[in-house]
């Protein structure tokens, strides 16, 4: 697994999430995505991917075309790497 977080304005989060289809058509390599509003009009997202290559593929296939159209976003994802420990409650 590979973890990243992104914090941005709610408007940018809605635009990018909708246009990349992150939630509506999630890539198979996305393990989990959780987003929350921090109460200041900003949204933080935690994404867990199967591999670092999965993030790169998602960027090339879905994100880069939007950035080329709209320009570089003010906030960049933070790549945290492999987790040291993971707990997932059994269902």
């Amino acid at each position: 697994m590979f973890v990243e977080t992104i914090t941005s304005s709610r408007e940018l989060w809605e635009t990018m999430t909708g246009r990349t289809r992150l939630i509506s058509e999630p890539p198979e390599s996305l393990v989990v995505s959780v987003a929350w509003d921090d109460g200041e009009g900003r949204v933080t997202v935690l994404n867990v991917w199967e591999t670092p290559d999965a993030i790169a593929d998602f960027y090339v296939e879905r994100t880069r075309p939007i950035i080329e159209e709209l320009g570089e976003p003010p906030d960049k994802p933070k790549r945290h790497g492999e987790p040291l420990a993971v707990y997932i409650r059994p269902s």
Side-chain angles (χ1 to χ4, degrees):
M1 283 192 254
F2 197 84
V3 178
E4 74 173 344
T5 56
I6 307 164
T7 300
S8 66
S9 69
R10 187 174 189 120
E11 179 182 0
L12 181 58
W13 171 75
E14 289 174 350
T15 297
M16 295 303 289
T17 300
R19 294 199 49 192
T20 61
R21 305 175 319 280
L22 181 70
I23 304 301
S24 63
E25 296 174 37
E28 288 184 31
S29 58
L30 182 65
V31 177
V32 66
S33 182
V34 179
W36 61 92
D37 187 318
D38 70 4
E40 302 289 325
R42 295 185 57 80
V43 173
T44 298
V45 180
L46 168 72
N47 291 327
V48 178
W49 299 87
E50 289 179 347
T51 66
D53 290 341
I55 296 171
D57 292 344
F58 182 78
Y59 177 81
V60 168
E61 294 168 9
R62 298 196 196 186
T63 305
R64 185 172 59 188
I66 299 166
I67 290 174
E68 288 173 354
E69 177 188 339
L70 300 179
E72 288 287 329
D75 304 299
K76 305 281 184 180
K78 293 180 183 165
R79 306 276 157 65
H80 301 282
E82 297 284 335
L84 295 176
V86 175
Y87 169 79
I88 301 173
R89 184 182 70 207
S91 50

